[in-house]
């Protein structure tokens, strides 16, 4: 009896929760309204089945509860009814599947005119590459990666890559109304490029190039969230997509360096070199604004007394920092898990530049 | 219904099919119900071979997928693998000879056959280990190339199944050597033989795959 | 033993004699070959390890509800999700349903004295035990257990900056799985041969209780699916320890260096992370049904007994089980719709996945029609059955969302998925387990569970699962990704979602605590509970007809039962009571009712009329 009432309350409560709770789909900002339609269709079908079957069970439990003077019906099977139900279910399944596959076929066939942007994932940061005037991205391979001269691993012998525009930051701008095809690859582990408002998502797989496409339809700033577990800093691997008009987009893109031009660097300060190294290798795990991250923040780090995991303290100076970069797991700061890669391939000059840069953050 | 088969060592009827005797392996207690009939044991063996087939099929699918990627350099096919293959074939032949004799009631030949079969089986394992050492000497390390890795992995997994087969062989062999009636050991010899045939087939498939690719 | 000599050996062992009772605590309770003791060993070990899994979910919920307040590091959070998932899916659900229920029920329900291979059965348990020890050992090694996520996707799982990958964590996890697979293979072999070979006289396949059909089919699935995981585990071990490149492509660390297993090994290159995912899910999806099919069976039997009604559409139920078993091998890549595999696979796997919904729906229809015009006794096991129908329904329906590839794309890897698989595989399977434990407890121990504690346990859990998991669907709609220990200021999720998480945490913790009421109830009632008669639920199936309760070694006394009818003769017209046990010979007051099963050509060895 109580369980019957509980099931009725469950149905009422579920519906109430659906209609009165503040939580629902994030605002749609792409062309994938069809996906939302599929979600709604599926929702309606499954909600009806959920309500009907729960209420049916509730009625049974209440109406046919035990009575020692009554005997249950003897009703071992009813082939006809079973086949009818199979038929209805099959029709329901086709109703969901057929339009679903139709929309999916659009998802797997990006439009010809879509412009290409490359999304590169690494622990725990996003970076982006635009193909430049030729419209073609240069080939890439992990063997070419160098965190100072070639963080994207672009093949220097492929001319298509020479005009590629490198956006080494976690904010991507896209022009509104133009279909975009993202080509995605990872430098280390699996990641997933997911912007809830665009609805579509896809994994980044090291060794493969994956892709998806969408057309931004609303201006504004949208979150990127990494949706495939990628390690200790998975939840910090955020980013932003800013959708804006074509002119603002072009202005924004113009500020970024082209791949080949990086070879002919003008004279920059030693701290600036350090800052670039940090940008491509360090800041995905160390913040420079004091916020906690995968590793200790660099704000005010230089010169302070740090407590290590064994309880001892150490003063943060050149020697300590150098050791912590080259052999990072020798001394772990209390409260952190360790596990940072060893940056043993940095030259003495580069190490020095990085340490001078860290020092500027304590001034 | 085939109630009382005459036996020298009468076992209680509730222990039919439970062939004990302190064989040192699997220390059964008299108070357990071992209930599998000969058919049940055969089904059990076939199911196990089915499971092993799935295992090797998964491995082969992985091999085929991985082979399609760019960095595949096949191993050479030296004579010693051919020699090992011949050894394993001989093992199967002798075991089959033993089984046929057991069915005909010829205990002496059964004993000789199973002994030779097992020895050649063991020789195959030794030969495989020797093949590994040869490859390592030639610089084909396990991590050098995926083709090498697959060779070591496949032979290792196959070898593990062979070691299991060898344990089964030791058990059967002891029973056979101790026994005085060929008909009583048919089931044991048959199970042992079928399993070794299976291992031969698996090896031929794996070896063939490596030859062809 | 003298008596034994003149007993006919017509059946395998019609003779039973108390002298066979094993002597000494060591053989009787520790290295026992009695299927009932092994079942209890499996069950208790699985419940123990399940409580650890429950504790880990508490760790996760505390961090999610109150990020940072309990000193839970991100690394420990990831270790907790990994161990929680693996423990619950493999070491609790699979072990309890096959090793626990399978071992207890197969011989008793089929009228056998024991399993076909009792010694192998004992080995199976001890391999399982060792696999649990190895798994739990990873909590005590430097670096702790692996935090790679329960799916253990490479490259993550073998990179040294993953929690637990630096030390032995991942090695112990893979090793433990390999040992578990050996245990499951030994067990599965036993269950299949026993079902095929040791059924009592008259127990045709189409007279078997659905529990046995579920366990039997699940055992076959386990035998066919686990080898793929085994191969994947061995290959991953190679990549991890020997530096090979099965699954490892060329990747760089944050310093831009190519990664290798150790400085003296060549850099990884050319491997395919997706290959592992295929091997994992080729095992992983049948694994869902390895858990679900025995649960379906248990629910069918408990439901019919307490509804005092024949299970509706027995034929269709059997065919549905078999159909689900077969189709479950061609749906695995629906876990990989956004994995980067060839997108055209999506068409095929979405179609097969939705096809599997049809036999699954049939089962739900037949359960609810079994209730229709029944005479329903709302005993505690029945409450769990009704709870199961409700939670399985919602979990199954959300399966239609995630199986349909285009609907999966926005929801994949969000809290919607968490809600879906917890309801369909976690909660429903656990409800079936509770239904079974409450149902068979009087047979296993000879005593009844305490009713007040039983009801408390049910009601809090039933309300709890909805309060915990229903809102998670909506967090998924919001787009909240899974496997985040906290949702920082980087993301614009509504602040109310954080409050919702805190609320879910409180509900989950209350629900977790109530599980200890159940543990206490079991422990207390096993010794102090009210004594139970042999067949307290007035059930038809053979396990309730044993001469002793709890059944003694050998189960059946001097002669084996003979089966005269199917397992669901409840409320048969013309019968003098509302159930006829399977070993009741047909008579005027006990008519046969299963003629509708005869036309279908399973080899019928029951010619009793």
């Amino acid at each position: 009896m109580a369980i019957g009432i509980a099931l009725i309350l469950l149905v009422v409560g579920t519906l109430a929760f659906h209609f009165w709770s503040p939580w629902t789909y994030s605002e749609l900002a792409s062309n994938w309204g069809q996906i939302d339609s599929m979600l709604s269709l599926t929702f309606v079908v499954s909600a009806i089945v959920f309500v009907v079957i729960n209420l049916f069970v509730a009625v049974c439990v209440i109406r046919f509860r035990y009575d020692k003077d009554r005997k249950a019906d003897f009703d071992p099977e009813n082939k006809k009814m079973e086949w009818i139900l199979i038929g209805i279910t099959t029709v329901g399944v086709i109703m969901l599947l057929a339009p679903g596959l139709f929309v999916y076929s659009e998802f797997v066939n990006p439009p010809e005119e879509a412009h290409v942007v490359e999304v590169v994932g690494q622990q725990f940061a996003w970076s982006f590459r635009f193909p430049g005037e030729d419209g073609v991205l240069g080939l890439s391979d992990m063997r070419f990666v160098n965190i100072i001269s070639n963080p994207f691993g672009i093949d220097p012998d492929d001319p298509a890559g020479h005009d590629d525009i490198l956006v080494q930051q976690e904010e991507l701008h896209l022009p509104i109304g133009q279909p975009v095809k993202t080509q995605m690859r990872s430098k280390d582990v699996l990641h997933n490029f997911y912007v809830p408002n665009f609805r579509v998502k896809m994994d980044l797989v090291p060794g493969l190039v994956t892709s998806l496409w969408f057309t931004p339809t609303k201006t504004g700033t949208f979150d990127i969230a990494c949706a495939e577990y990628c390690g200790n800093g998975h939840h910090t691997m955020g980013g932003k997509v800013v959708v804006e008009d074509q002119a603002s987009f072009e202005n924004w893109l113009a500020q970024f360096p082209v791949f080949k031009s990086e070879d002919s660097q003008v004279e920059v300060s030693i701290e600036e070199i350090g800052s670039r190294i940090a940008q491509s290798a360090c800041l995905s795990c160390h913040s420079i604004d004091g916020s906690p991250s995968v590793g200790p923040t660099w704000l005010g780090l230089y010169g302070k007394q740090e407590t290590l995991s064994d309880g001892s303290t150490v003063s943060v100076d050149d020697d300590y920092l150098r050791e912590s970069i080259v052999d990072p797991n020798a001394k772990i700061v209390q409260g952190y898990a360790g596990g940072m890669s060893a940056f043993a391939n940095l030259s003495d000059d580069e190490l020095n530049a990085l340490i001078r840069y860290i020092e500027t953050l304590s001034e | 219904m085939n109630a009382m088969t005459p036996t020298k060592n009468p076992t209680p009827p509730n222990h039919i099919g439970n062939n004990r005797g302190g064989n040192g392996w699997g220390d059964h207690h008299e108070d357990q119900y071992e209930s599998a009939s000969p058919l049940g044991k055969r089904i059990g063996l076939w199911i196990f071979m089915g499971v092993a087939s799935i295992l090797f099929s998964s491995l082969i699918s992985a091999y085929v997928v991985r082979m399609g990627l760019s960095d595949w350099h096949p191993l050479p096919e030296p004579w010693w693998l051919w020699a090992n293959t011949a050894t394993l074939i001989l093992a199967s032949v002798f075991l089959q000879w033993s089984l046929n004799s057991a069915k005909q009631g010829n205990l002496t030949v059964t004993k000789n056959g199973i002994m030779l079969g097992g020895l050649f089986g063991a020789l195959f394992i030794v030969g495989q280990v020797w093949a590994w050492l040869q490859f390592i000497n030639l610089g084909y390390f396990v991590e050098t190339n995926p083709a090498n890795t697959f060779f070591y992995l496949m032979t290792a997994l196959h070898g593990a199944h062979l070691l299991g087969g060898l344990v089964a062989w030791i058990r059967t062999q002891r029973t056979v050597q101790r026994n005085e009636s060929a008909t009583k050991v048919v089931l044991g010899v048959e199970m042992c033989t079928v399993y070794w045939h299976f291992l031969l087939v698996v090896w031929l498939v794996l070896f063939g795959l490596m030859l062809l690719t | 033993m003298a008596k034994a000599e003149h007993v006919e050996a017509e059946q395998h062992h019609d003779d039973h004699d108390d002298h066979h009772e094993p002597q000494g605590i060591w053989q009787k309770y520790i290295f026992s070959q009695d299927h009932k003791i092994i079942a209890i060993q499996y069950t208790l070990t699985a419940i123990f390890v399940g409580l650890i899994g429950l504790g880990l979910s508490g760790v996760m919920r505390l961090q999610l509800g109150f990020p940072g307040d309990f000193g839970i590091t991100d690394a420990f959070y990831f270790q907790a999700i990994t161990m929680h998932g693996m423990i619950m899916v493999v070491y609790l659900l699979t072990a309890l349903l096959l090793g626990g229920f399978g071992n207890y029920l197969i011989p008793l329900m089929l009228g056998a004295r024991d399993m076909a291979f009792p010694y192998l059965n004992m080995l199976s348990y001890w391999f399982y035990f060792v696999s649990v020890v190895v798994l739990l050992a990873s909590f005590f090694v430097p670096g702790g257990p692996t935090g790679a996520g329960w799916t253990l996707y490479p490259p993550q799982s073998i990179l040294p900056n993953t929690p637990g990958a630096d030390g032995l964590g991942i090695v112990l996890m893979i090793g433990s799985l390999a040992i578990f697979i050996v245990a499951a293979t030994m067990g599965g072999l036993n269950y299949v041969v026993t079902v095929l070979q040791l059924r009592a006289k008259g127990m045709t396949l189409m007279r078997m209780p659905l529990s046995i059909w579920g366990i039997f089919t699940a055992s076959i699935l386990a035998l066919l699916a686990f080898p793929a995981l085994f191969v994947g585990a061995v290959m991953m071990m190679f990549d991890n320890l020997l530096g090979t490149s099965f699954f490892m492509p060329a990747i760089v660390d944050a310093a831009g260096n190519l990664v290798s297993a150790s400085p003296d090994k060549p850099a990884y290159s050319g491997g395919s992370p997706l290959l592992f995912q295929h091997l994992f899910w080729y095992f992983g999806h049948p694994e869902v049904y390895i858990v679900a099919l025995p649960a379906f069976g248990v629910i069918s039997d408990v439901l019919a007994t307490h509804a005092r009604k024949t299970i509706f559409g027995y034929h269709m139920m059997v065919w549905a089980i078999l159909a689900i078993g077969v189709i479950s091998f061609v749906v695995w890549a629906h876990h990989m719709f956004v994995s980067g595999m060839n997108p055209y696979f999506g068409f095929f796997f979405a179609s097969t996945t939705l096809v599997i919904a049809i036999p699954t729906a049939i089962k739900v229809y037949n359960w609810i029609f079994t209730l229709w015009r029944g005479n329903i006794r709302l005993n505690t096991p029945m409450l769990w059955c009704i709870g199961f129908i409700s939670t399985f329904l919602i979990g199954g329906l959300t399966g239609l969302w995630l199986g349909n590839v285009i609907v999966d794309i926005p929801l994949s890897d969000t809290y919607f998925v968490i809600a879906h698989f917890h309801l369909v595989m976690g909660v429903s399977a656990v409800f079936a387990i509770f239904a079974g434990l409450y149902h068979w407890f009087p047979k296993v121990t000879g005593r009844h569970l305490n009713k007040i504690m039983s009801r408390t346990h049910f009601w809090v859990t039933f309300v709890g699962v909805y309060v915990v998991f229903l809102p998670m669907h909506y967090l998924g709609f919001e787009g909240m990704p899974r496997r985040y220990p906290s949702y920082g200021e980087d993301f614009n999720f509504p602040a109310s979602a954080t409050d919702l998480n805190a609320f879910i945490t409180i509900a989950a913790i209350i629900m977790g605590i109530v599980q200890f009421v159940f543990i206490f109830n079991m422990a207390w009632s096993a010794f102090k509970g009210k004594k139970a008669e042999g067949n307290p639920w007035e059930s038809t199936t053979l396990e309730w007809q044993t001469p002793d309760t709890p059944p003694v070694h050998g189960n059946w006394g001097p002669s084996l039962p003979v089966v005269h009818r199917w397992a669901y003769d409840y409320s048969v017209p013309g019968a003098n009571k509302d159930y006829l046990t399977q070993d009741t010979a047909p008579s005027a007051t006990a008519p046969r009712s299963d003629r509708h099963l005869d036309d279908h050509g399973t080899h019928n060895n029951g010619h009793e009329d």
Side-chain angles (χ1 to χ4, degrees):
Chain A
M1 190 67 182
I3 184 77
I5 295 167
L7 288 174
I8 295 170
L9 289 177
L10 170 70
V11 168
V12 174
T14 312
L15 292 173
F17 183 85
H18 178 72
F19 288 110
W20 283 300
S21 80
W23 304 291
T24 181
Y25 307 107
S26 50
E27 184 198 15
L28 177 71
S30 78
N31 60 315
W32 287 114
Q34 284 171 302
I35 291 185
D36 279 15
S37 309
M38 277 307 300
L39 284 166
S40 306
L41 172 69
T42 318
F43 191 99
V44 169
V45 171
S46 40
I48 291 171
V49 178
F50 179 75
V51 169
V52 168
I53 292 191
N54 269 312
L55 291 181
F56 184 94
V57 174
V59 168
C60 288
V61 173
I62 294 169
R63 241 184 98 185
F64 306 116
R65 65 184 183 278
Y66 189 65
D67 173 355
K68 67 180 177 353
D69 298 326
R70 196 168 60 82
K71 229 177 174 183
D73 274 16
F74 183 78
D75 184 19
E77 66 186 8
N78 181 340
K79 280 266 151 68
K80 194 173 152 200
M81 187 169 80
E82 289 177 81
W83 282 110
I84 291 173
L85 283 171
I86 290 176
I88 295 174
T89 312
T90 310
V91 169
V93 161
I94 292 170
M95 253 173 59
L96 294 177
L97 185 63
L101 292 185
F102 177 77
V103 179
Y104 183 64
S105 68
E106 295 193 13
F107 174 73
V108 299
N109 289 306
E112 295 275 316
E113 71 275 18
H115 70 101
V116 173
V117 54
E118 183 182 60
V119 177
V120 179
Q122 72 179 83
Q123 288 176 330
F124 302 100
W126 302 99
S127 45
F128 308 94
R129 176 161 68 124
F130 285 84
E133 279 168 16
D134 61 357
V136 181
L137 288 165
L139 297 174
S140 63
D141 193 299
M142 286 304 121
R143 284 170 303 166
F144 301 122
V145 169
N146 179 304
I147 53 169
I148 298 155
S149 61
N150 190 357
F152 285 76
I154 299 168
D155 183 348
D157 296 332
D158 181 9
H162 292 181
D163 63 347
D164 287 0
I165 302 162
L166 309 182
V167 182
Q168 227 183 332
Q169 63 173 35
E170 299 190 344
E171 188 175 295
L172 168 70
H173 287 220
L174 290 173
I176 188 168
Q178 285 189 26
V180 54
K181 180 182 171 191
T182 60
Q183 287 201 356
M184 309 191 284
R185 63 192 171 93
S186 165
K187 286 159 78 174
D188 39 40
V189 298
L190 303 173
H191 303 281
N192 186 305
F193 181 74
Y194 176 41
V195 181
N197 309 75
F198 294 159
R199 297 294 183 263
V200 286
K201 65 160 79 74
M202 189 54 72
D203 276 7
L204 285 65
V205 184
L208 282 184
V209 178
T210 58
S211 71
L212 55 77
W213 78 273
F214 56 90
T215 309
T217 53
K218 280 204 169 70
T219 54
T221 305
F222 305 101
D223 291 334
I224 306 171
C226 177
E228 183 69 59
Y229 175 56
C230 62
N232 263 338
H234 174 46
H235 54 297
T236 65
M237 192 167 164
K240 301 284 174 203
V241 176
V242 176
V243 178
E244 58 197 0
D245 58 63
Q246 182 72 30
S248 320
F249 166 72
E250 280 168 12
N251 273 340
W252 171 81
L253 193 60
Q255 64 177 303
F256 292 99
V258 166
F259 173 55
K260 262 300 172 189
S261 75
E262 289 209 329
D263 280 357
S264 52
Q265 278 170 9
V266 286
E267 281 296 310
V268 288
S269 67
I270 187 164
E271 289 84 3
E272 176 58 25
I273 294 174
S275 159
R276 286 187 189 178
I277 298 171
Q279 188 71 46
S280 62
C282 312
L283 299 189
S284 50
C285 296
H286 299 274
S287 76
I288 52 172
D289 59 0
S291 62
S293 187
V294 181
T297 184
W298 285 359
L299 186 70
L301 176 66
Y302 194 89
K304 97 184 224 208
Q305 291 285 321
E306 195 76 275
T307 309
L308 301 179
S309 56
D310 60 1
S312 62
T313 55
V314 65
S315 134
V316 178
D317 53 16
D318 280 22
D319 287 342
Y320 169 76
L321 284 176
R322 192 169 287 119
E323 182 189 15
S324 295
I325 296 167
V326 176
D327 184 11
N329 294 317
K331 293 186 178 127
I332 307 279
V333 177
Q334 202 165 50
Y336 290 89
M340 171 180 146
S341 319
F343 287 70
N345 60 334
L346 292 180
S347 69
D348 282 348
D349 285 347
E350 289 160 352
L351 269 176
N352 191 36
L354 193 53
I355 293 167
R356 294 284 75 76
Y357 169 67
I358 295 172
E359 194 179 4
T360 63
L361 297 169
S362 290
E363 283 160 5
Chain B
M1 327 305 170
N2 61 339
M4 299 286 163
T5 17
T7 54
K8 290 258 163 75
N9 285 325
T11 37
N14 57 343
H15 291 141
I16 280 183
N18 189 357
N19 202 344
R20 306 158 204 260
N23 53 20
W25 196 87
D27 194 14
H28 296 272
H29 298 286
E30 284 294 326
D31 42 42
Q32 305 301 340
Y33 295 96
E34 172 129 359
S35 359
S37 62
L39 179 60
K41 291 187 174 177
R42 287 195 187 99
I43 295 176
L45 176 65
W46 280 97
I47 293 175
F48 179 74
M49 293 191 298
V51 172
S53 307
I54 302 276
L55 183 108
F56 287 106
S57 321
S58 312
L59 198 59
I60 290 168
S61 340
Y63 181 92
V64 172
V65 170
R66 188 66 180 80
M67 196 175 73
L69 301 175
S70 57
D71 54 346
W72 186 270
H73 302 292
L75 278 171
E77 293 137 13
W79 61 269
W80 57 73
L81 287 181
W82 286 101
N84 283 350
T85 309
T87 318
L88 194 58
I89 292 174
L90 279 177
S92 259
V93 168
F94 282 120
L95 286 172
Q96 185 64 42
W97 184 44
S98 170
L99 175 59
N100 292 347
S101 320
K103 282 180 178 162
Q104 289 156 11
N106 189 339
L107 190 63
T108 322
V109 179
T110 309
K111 285 181 178 176
N112 292 341
I114 197 157
M115 182 59 91
L116 283 168
L119 288 180
F120 273 96
L123 191 61
F124 174 80
I125 296 178
V126 175
Q128 292 288 80
V129 173
W130 191 74
W132 279 11
L133 296 177
Q134 293 304 306
F135 275 120
I136 290 171
N137 279 340
L138 292 173
Y140 295 97
F141 301 115
V142 63
E143 71 275 14
T144 322
N145 187 272
N148 306 4
T149 319
F150 266 105
F151 171 77
Y152 288 102
L153 177 58
M154 284 173 164
T155 47
L157 280 178
H158 183 245
H161 284 80
L162 284 166
L163 287 178
L166 217 50
V167 172
W169 171 75
I170 290 170
R171 292 187 69 191
T172 318
Q173 210 275 118
R174 284 186 174 199
T175 327
V176 171
Q177 303 300 348
R178 196 175 292 127
N179 230 302
E180 286 160 29
S181 150
T183 46
K184 281 177 64 187
V185 299
V186 170
L187 178 67
V189 176
E190 181 195 308
M191 305 248 303
C192 193
T193 307
V194 168
Y195 184 60
W196 277 85
H197 287 346
F198 167 73
L199 292 177
L200 172 64
V201 171
V202 170
W203 170 248
L204 291 178
V205 170
L206 295 180
F207 187 49
L209 185 71
M210 288 185 269
L211 284 183
L212 289 174
T213 51
Chain C
M1 285 308 221
K3 190 175 145 222
E5 282 173 335
H6 59 262
V7 175
E8 285 185 18
E10 178 187 327
Q11 271 290 335
H12 294 150
H13 26 54
D14 280 358
D15 165 60
H16 176 67
D17 183 310
D18 282 346
H19 292 121
H20 297 313
E21 195 68 35
Q23 301 301 308
I25 204 166
W26 203 244
Q27 280 138 44
K28 196 170 172 185
Y29 296 114
I30 310 296
F31 293 107
S32 172
Q33 298 181 31
D34 181 350
H35 72 101
K36 298 181 292 298
I37 302 291
I38 294 171
I40 293 168
Q41 290 173 324
Y42 253 114
T43 306
L44 294 182
T45 312
I47 290 176
F48 168 75
V49 73
L51 288 176
I52 294 171
L54 183 72
L56 291 169
S57 68
V59 168
M60 288 142 60
R61 279 316 322 174
L62 283 177
Q63 169 65 16
L64 287 169
F66 311 96
D69 292 357
F70 288 88
I72 295 159
T73 62
D74 296 343
F76 186 54
Y77 177 85
F78 292 125
Q79 291 171 323
I81 59 170
T82 306
M83 295 301 275
H84 168 79
M86 197 59 101
I87 283 176
M88 290 308 200
V89 171
V90 175
Y91 298 87
L92 168 67
L93 293 177
T94 310
L96 215 168
L97 283 162
L98 290 183
F101 284 20
N103 256 316
Y104 202 85
L105 296 178
I106 291 173
L108 278 169
M109 280 188 152
L110 295 179
R113 294 210 185 274
D114 207 320
M115 284 287 177
F117 308 108
Y119 183 75
L120 201 61
N121 207 18
M122 179 192 78
L123 279 184
S124 166
Y125 170 71
W126 285 105
F127 268 80
Y128 167 60
F129 183 81
V130 171
S131 77
V132 169
V133 170
V134 171
L135 182 78
L136 297 183
S138 66
F139 280 104
F140 302 100
V141 297
T146 175
W150 88 276
T151 49
L152 303 178
Y153 283 176
Q156 186 70 62
S157 52
I158 34 193
L159 287 188
N161 62 358
T162 304
D166 220 4
L168 280 172
I170 184 67
V171 175
L172 289 174
M173 167 66 83
I174 297 172
S176 168
L177 278 175
I179 300 169
F180 182 89
I181 292 166
V182 175
T185 306
M186 292 182 187
L189 202 97
N190 230 328
Y191 310 148
V192 172
V193 174
T194 308
V195 171
L196 291 177
Q197 280 285 294
L198 296 184
R199 302 192 306 281
K201 189 168 192 280
M203 179 66 85
T204 61
L205 288 175
M206 288 313 255
R207 280 177 172 175
M208 293 198 305
L210 288 166
S211 295
I212 302 300
W213 271 112
I215 292 166
F216 175 62
T217 315
S219 303
I220 295 174
L221 296 192
L223 290 172
L224 298 178
F226 272 117
L229 180 66
F230 188 84
V231 167
V234 173
M235 287 162 76
M236 186 181 271
M237 197 80 107
F238 267 56
D239 279 4
N240 189 25
L241 297 179
L242 302 177
T244 60
S245 297
F246 287 120
F247 305 133
M248 298 296 278
I251 56 179
V252 292
D253 62 15
N257 308 310
L258 288 169
V259 175
S260 61
S262 59
D264 57 325
K265 300 283 182 196
Y268 290 125
S269 83
S272 165
L274 287 183
L275 178 58
F276 178 83
Q277 297 185 25
H278 281 293
L279 286 171
F280 184 88
W281 288 114
Y282 175 81
F283 142 79
H285 199 79
E287 166 65 25
V288 172
Y289 292 99
I290 291 168
V291 170
L293 292 179
F296 291 170
V298 166
I299 289 296
S300 306
D301 286 345
V302 177
L303 200 68
T305 303
H306 296 270
R308 316 308 297 157
K309 192 154 171 283
T310 58
I311 194 79
F312 183 82
Y314 175 84
H315 263 117
M316 217 50 116
M317 292 297 248
V318 172
W319 288 116
I321 286 178
L322 296 174
I324 292 171
V326 171
I327 306 173
S328 72
F329 278 99
V330 289
V331 298
W332 78 86
H334 68 218
H335 296 268
M336 299 168 60
F337 284 150
V338 298
S339 71
M341 68 172 179
N342 184 335
Y344 286 94
F345 289 176
F347 291 100
F348 174 76
F349 285 102
S351 306
T352 52
T353 304
L354 289 215
V355 166
I356 216 171
I358 298 170
T360 313
I362 292 170
K363 300 204 70 84
V364 176
Y365 300 147
N366 286 3
W367 287 323
I368 65 175
F369 288 128
T370 304
L371 292 174
W372 182 252
R373 304 191 72 79
N375 197 11
I376 301 168
R377 297 178 180 169
L378 290 171
N379 301 313
T380 312
M382 189 58 164
L383 293 179
W384 288 107
C385 284
I386 293 165
F388 168 92
I389 294 177
S390 185
T391 57
F392 182 73
L393 176 68
I394 184 169
L397 287 169
T398 49
L400 291 174
W401 300 55
L402 297 174
N404 203 352
V405 49
I406 195 70
V407 186
D408 175 74
I409 286 174
L411 297 174
S412 184
D413 291 314
T414 68
Y415 266 80
F416 190 90
V417 176
I418 307 246
H420 161 71
F421 71 70
H422 275 93
L423 282 169
V424 79
M425 189 185 183
V427 169
S428 296
V430 167
F431 273 35
I433 286 171
F434 282 136
L437 289 177
Y438 280 96
H439 183 73
W440 281 293
F441 188 86
K443 176 53 65 179
V444 178
T445 63
R447 289 173 189 273
H448 282 291
L449 286 155
N450 175 287
K451 187 172 170 180
I452 294 171
M453 285 192 273
S454 304
R455 296 294 162 114
T456 310
H457 177 217
F458 170 75
W459 281 107
V460 176
T461 309
F462 181 63
V463 175
V465 295
Y466 271 103
V467 171
V468 168
F469 293 112
L470 189 78
M472 285 190 192
H473 295 99
Y474 290 80
L475 294 177
F477 293 156
E478 289 280 355
M480 285 179 89
R482 59 193 285 213
R483 295 178 168 172
Y484 275 34
S486 59
Y487 296 82
E489 290 153 9
D490 287 352
F491 304 107
N492 281 320
F493 298 117
S496 59
T498 314
D499 300 338
L500 183 61
N501 260 326
F503 171 72
I504 291 174
T505 296
I506 292 165
I509 285 177
I510 294 171
M511 191 166 72
I513 290 168
V514 165
Q515 305 313 309
F516 289 92
V517 173
F518 165 70
I519 303 291
F520 177 77
N521 192 4
M522 278 218 312
W524 185 83
S525 302
F527 300 101
K528 304 273 176 181
K530 197 164 66 111
K531 280 239 186 327
E533 324 84 89
N535 190 0
W537 310 122
E538 302 183 306
S539 179
T540 57
T541 41
L542 287 183
E543 80 276 21
W544 298 101
Q545 324 307 334
T546 54
D548 307 280
T549 297
V552 296
H553 194 61
N555 296 347
W556 300 107
S559 59
L560 288 171
V562 176
V563 172
H564 299 279
R565 55 186 74 241
W566 70 324
Y568 301 99
D569 266 350
Y570 292 101
S571 307
V572 178
N576 59 353
K577 46 183 181 171
D578 76 347
Y579 70 107
L580 298 168
T581 62
Q582 282 193 276
D583 57 352
T584 308
S587 68
T589 53
R592 251 191 89 197
S593 74
D594 57 350
R595 282 177 205 284
H596 66 287
L597 299 172
D598 286 353
D599 343 337
H600 298 269
T602 47
H603 33 270
N604 189 336
N605 53 349
H607 307 288
E608 65 278 356
D609 52 353

